[in-house]
């Protein structure tokens, strides 16, 4: 009997995703190695065969960068991994990163037909697989494009900036990224822990953008070293601001100025970018007490809590004023935190941080909360339960309740309009700002959000910048 080389794989009608291998919780909570280990080839093909190849492709509508999901998954099912990677890269310049940190459960996978009865197809796991397979088995391709000899500046080398720069470079523009830190990558480097996103992988993804011809200048604090107007004077015909949201928010309660209180931004930057988790091999220490309190319920709070545990804390508490149902963190991150031994103190709100005579944290005073009527966001508003005051003994407190854009750029750029809370005002369709030739996107516009939404904003702005420059020739 002749083999049918063109035969398509039969659908896998299992209701459950192929389980992804992970480190044991009691081992991984003591190291900074990656938690999820990724699919092997046979596992990836098995999961890919769960895709029904829907004609209307609902999953694609849930992807901010418009990855052609059914097409790349079909290629995985057929074992054509390099072609699957190429298909993803058509619209997503950072697939290894997105496969790890994107909230697929609320985006592409949320719209998957398989989720109506059982679990969705593991789109994120398959995206990670093809990216990892390619990085392990192939040399990066250098894409040759004709040069237009027109300069564009990108402020910030996080996901929004990298995406915008990469897309513009593919169109032939001379793109220069100006990065404030000494290492490119933005939040990918300073905000997301090594055990969720290995930094060597981030740098490899950045190299693929540089191979397109993008120049990255580090230690360039725009608004201080150079202003936007000075960039324009230097011949940059358009500017994209993707400077992120690096200004931490605090609660405004007594004791926040004590030693041992960190913003999540400082805490994670020290650990991730400055490699405090390798101390004393690296010379950036982070003081961790026996008991640590993390205030907040988002992904950043989970990252801070799990990092504190790995740095040697005996007990780590997540203090969150609402219930678990209202918690904005990804379900996967909450699940992993619980597995690793993080203690959740829900419906609890700090009112004061207590200190020793010499200025160090010795405890945190809290009150219990009850959920009342929904607030403007639709979440039930927490109200204090009378007589519920209590004190928890902790030596370290990390405040992880949000971040806003740093006002440095807006305060040094006449004519650039911002929201009262600091976000740059843009046209939602194009990302254009109130200043001619200047565009913005990502956390600098929205406040702290997701990597993939920032990438989507960078992609949208790149298209608009291309149209703007073509029309201004």
């Amino acid at each position: 009997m002749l083999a049918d080389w063109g035969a398509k794989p039969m659908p896998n009608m299992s209701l459950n995703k192929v389980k992804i291998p992970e480190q044991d919780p009691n081992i991984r909570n003591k190291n900074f190695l990656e938690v999820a280990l990724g699919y092997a080839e046979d596992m990836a093909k098995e999961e890919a065969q769960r895709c029904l190849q829907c004609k209307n492709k609902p999953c694609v509508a849930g992807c901010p960068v418009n990855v052609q999901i059914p097409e790349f998954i079909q290629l995985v099912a057929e074992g054509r991994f390099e072609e699957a990677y190429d298909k993803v890269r058509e619209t997503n310049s950072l697939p290894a990163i997105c496969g790890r940190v994107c909230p697929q459960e609320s985006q592409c996978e949320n719209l998957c037909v398989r989720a109506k009865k059982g679990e969705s197809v593991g789109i994120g796991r398959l995206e990670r697989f093809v990216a990892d397979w390619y990085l392990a088995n192939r040399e990066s391709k250098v894409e040759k494009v004709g040069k237009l000899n027109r300069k564009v500046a990108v402020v910030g080398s996080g996901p929004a900036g990298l995406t915008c720069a990469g897309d513009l470079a593919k169109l032939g523009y001379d793109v220069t990224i100006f990065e404030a830190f000494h290492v490119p990558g933005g939040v990918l480097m300073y905000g997301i822990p090594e055990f969720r996103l290995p930094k060597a992988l981030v740098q490899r993804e950045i190299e693929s953008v540089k191979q397109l011809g993008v120049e990255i200048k580090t230690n360039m604090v725009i608004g201080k070293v150079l202003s936007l107007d000075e960039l324009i004077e230097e011949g940059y015909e358009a500017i994209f601001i993707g400077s992120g949201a690096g200004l931490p928010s605090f609660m405004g309660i007594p004791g926040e100025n004590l030693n041992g209180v960190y913003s999540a931004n400082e805490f994670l930057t020290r650990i991730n970018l400055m490699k405090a988790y390798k101390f004393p091999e690296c010379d950036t220490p982070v003081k961790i007490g026996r008991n640590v309190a993390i205030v907040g319920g988002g992904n950043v709070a989970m990252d801070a809590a799990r990092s504190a545990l790995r740095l040697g804390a005996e007990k780590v508490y997540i203090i969150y004023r609402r219930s678990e149902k209202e918690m904005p963190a990804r379900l996967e991150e909450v699940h992993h935190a619980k597995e690793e031994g993080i203690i959740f103190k829900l419906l609890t709100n700090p009112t004061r941080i207590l200190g020793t005579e010499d200025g160090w944290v010795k405890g945190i005073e809290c009150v219990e909360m009850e959920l009342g009527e929904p607030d403007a966001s639709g979440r039930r508003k927490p109200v204090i339960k009378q007589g519920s005051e209590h004190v928890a003994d902790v030596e370290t407190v990390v405040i992880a309740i949000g971040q806003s854009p740093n006002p440095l750029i807006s305060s040094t750029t006449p004519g650039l309009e911002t929201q009262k809370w600091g976000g740059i005002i843009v046209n939602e369709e194009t990302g254009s700002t109130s200043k001619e030739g200047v565009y913005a996107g990502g956390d600098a516009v929205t406040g702290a959000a997701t990597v993939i939404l920032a990438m989507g904003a960078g992609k949208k702005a790149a298209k608009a910048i291309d149209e703007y420059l073509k029309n201004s020739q």
Side-chain angles (χ1 to χ4, degrees), residues 129-282:
F129 167 78
V130 297
D132 288 358
W133 184 92
Y134 187 87
L135 290 173
N137 293 282
R138 295 289 186 271
E139 292 293 328
S140 296
K141 301 172 184 175
V142 179
E143 301 178 47
K144 298 292 184 182
V145 295
K147 289 295 183 182
L148 301 173
N149 295 318
R150 305 190 74 180
K151 294 167 60 177
V152 179
V154 172
V155 180
S157 64
L162 289 171
T163 301
C164 185
D167 281 11
L168 287 170
K170 289 177 184 177
L171 294 170
Y173 293 99
D174 294 323
V175 185
T176 302
I177 295 177
F178 295 88
E179 167 56 44
F181 280 155
H182 61 290
V183 173
V187 70
L188 304 173
M189 288 297 292
Y190 72 75
I192 303 175
E194 182 78 9
F195 55 81
R196 281 217 294 135
L197 185 62
K199 301 300 166 265
L201 184 149
V202 175
Q203 291 303 311
R204 287 194 65 176
E205 292 277 58
I206 292 172
E207 282 301 314
S208 70
V209 175
K210 291 169 70 174
Q211 285 178 355
L212 296 170
V214 174
E215 181 182 5
I216 302 179
K217 294 184 177 182
T218 56
N219 299 308
M220 294 294 290
V221 183
I222 299 303
K224 189 170 185 179
V225 177
L226 289 170
S227 69
L228 295 191
D229 288 333
E230 286 172 328
L231 287 176
I232 294 170
E233 290 171 7
E234 290 191 2
Y236 292 97
E237 298 180 65
I239 300 172
F240 174 75
I241 304 171
S243 50
L247 186 66
S249 300
F250 286 91
M251 298 187 68
I253 59 175
E256 282 185 312
N257 60 341
L258 289 167
N259 295 318
V261 178
Y262 295 90
S263 70
N265 187 289
E266 178 191 359
F267 187 69
L268 290 172
T269 298
R270 282 177 170 270
I271 294 169
N272 300 328
L273 181 62
M274 303 174 78
K275 296 184 173 60
Y277 66 93
K278 289 186 175 181
F279 183 80
E281 177 185 334
C282 292

Side-chain angles (χ1 to χ4, degrees), residues 314-388:
E314 295 176 13
K315 291 183 179 179
V316 179
Y317 302 96
I318 289 279
I319 300 177
Y320 182 59
R321 65 184 187 140
R322 289 183 166 96
S323 71
E324 186 170 333
K325 182 180 178 182
E326 286 79 29
M327 193 172 278
R330 293 183 66 187
L331 293 177
E332 179 180 74
E333 300 309 313
V334 174
H335 171 69
H336 281 159
K338 287 182 176 179
E339 280 188 330
E340 292 168 7
I342 304 297
I343 302 165
F344 283 69
K345 304 297 288 184
L346 304 175
L347 290 169
T348 303
N349 201 40
T351 55
R352 182 163 58 116
I353 301 171
L354 307 176
T356 62
E357 290 185 0
D358 56 352
W360 289 89
V361 172
K362 70 173 184 179
I364 187 165
E365 182 180 88
C366 301
V367 291
E368 294 179 17
M369 310 295 287
E370 298 175 311
L371 292 181
E373 295 300 314
D375 62 14
S377 69
R379 293 190 296 176
R380 294 173 64 193
K381 187 176 180 179
V383 294
I384 296 173
K385 185 187 292 186
Q386 296 302 317
S388 63

Side-chain angles (χ1 to χ4, degrees), residues 3-208:
D4 183 1
W5 292 103
K8 300 293 185 184
M10 291 294 291
N12 170 7
M13 298 311 294
S14 170
L15 297 180
N16 299 313
K17 294 177 182 176
V18 174
K19 188 174 176 61
I20 193 167
E22 295 178 346
Q23 281 197 74
D24 181 276
N26 294 318
I27 295 175
R28 72 183 191 231
N29 64 7
K30 299 176 182 65
N31 68 58
F32 275 82
L33 301 177
E34 198 166 7
V35 170
L37 305 178
Y39 281 154
E41 291 185 9
D42 58 338
M43 300 168 75
K45 288 193 284 188
E46 182 183 351
E47 179 60 29
Q49 289 161 16
R50 294 185 63 237
C51 179
L52 299 178
Q53 293 296 310
C54 307
K55 289 184 179 179
N56 61 345
K57 308 176 184 179
C59 52
V60 176
C63 177
V65 295
N66 200 39
V67 170
Q68 296 303 296
I69 294 167
E71 285 91 337
F72 103 76
I73 289 180
Q74 181 66 44
L75 291 166
V76 174
E78 296 171 8
R80 297 158 64 185
F81 305 137
E82 182 172 358
E83 293 170 76
Y85 174 80
D86 289 340
K87 177 58 67 174
V88 175
R89 281 275 300 183
E90 286 177 5
T91 56
N92 183 353
S93 55
L94 306 172
I97 292 168
C98 288
R100 286 167 165 82
V101 302
C102 283
Q104 292 95 2
E105 69 278 2
S106 62
Q107 295 179 155
C108 55
E109 294 184 12
N110 184 50
L111 299 177
C112 178
V113 170
R114 293 301 304 267
K116 292 180 179 179
K117 187 178 181 181
E119 294 183 327
S120 68
V121 174
I123 298 169
R125 297 177 182 184
L126 291 172
E127 183 177 40
R128 168 185 169 162
F129 167 78
V130 297
D132 288 358
W133 184 92
Y134 187 87
L135 290 173
N137 293 282
R138 295 289 186 271
E139 292 293 328
S140 296
K141 301 172 184 175
V142 179
E143 301 178 47
K144 298 292 184 182
V145 295
K147 289 295 183 182
L148 301 173
N149 295 318
R150 305 190 74 180
K151 294 167 60 177
V152 179
V154 172
V155 180
S157 64
L162 289 171
T163 301
C164 185
D167 281 11
L168 287 170
K170 289 177 184 177
L171 294 170
Y173 293 99
D174 294 323
V175 185
T176 302
I177 295 177
F178 295 88
E179 167 56 44
F181 280 155
H182 61 290
V183 173
V187 70
L188 304 173
M189 288 297 292
Y190 72 75
I192 303 175
E194 182 78 9
F195 55 81
R196 281 217 294 135
L197 185 62
K199 301 300 166 265
L201 184 149
V202 175
Q203 291 303 311
R204 287 194 65 176
E205 292 277 58
I206 292 172
E207 282 301 314
S208 70

Side-chain angles (χ1 to χ4, degrees), residues 296-318:
N299 291 326
V300 173
M302 300 304 138
D303 287 344
R306 297 170 69 195
S307 295
L309 195 66
R310 285 161 168 78
L311 288 175
E314 295 176 13
K315 291 183 179 179
V316 179
Y317 302 96
I318 289 279

Side-chain angles (χ1 to χ4, degrees), residues 393-404:
D393 293 331
V394 299
E395 296 83 38
T396 306
V397 176
V398 180
I399 309 296
I401 60 171
Q403 298 170 175
S404 58

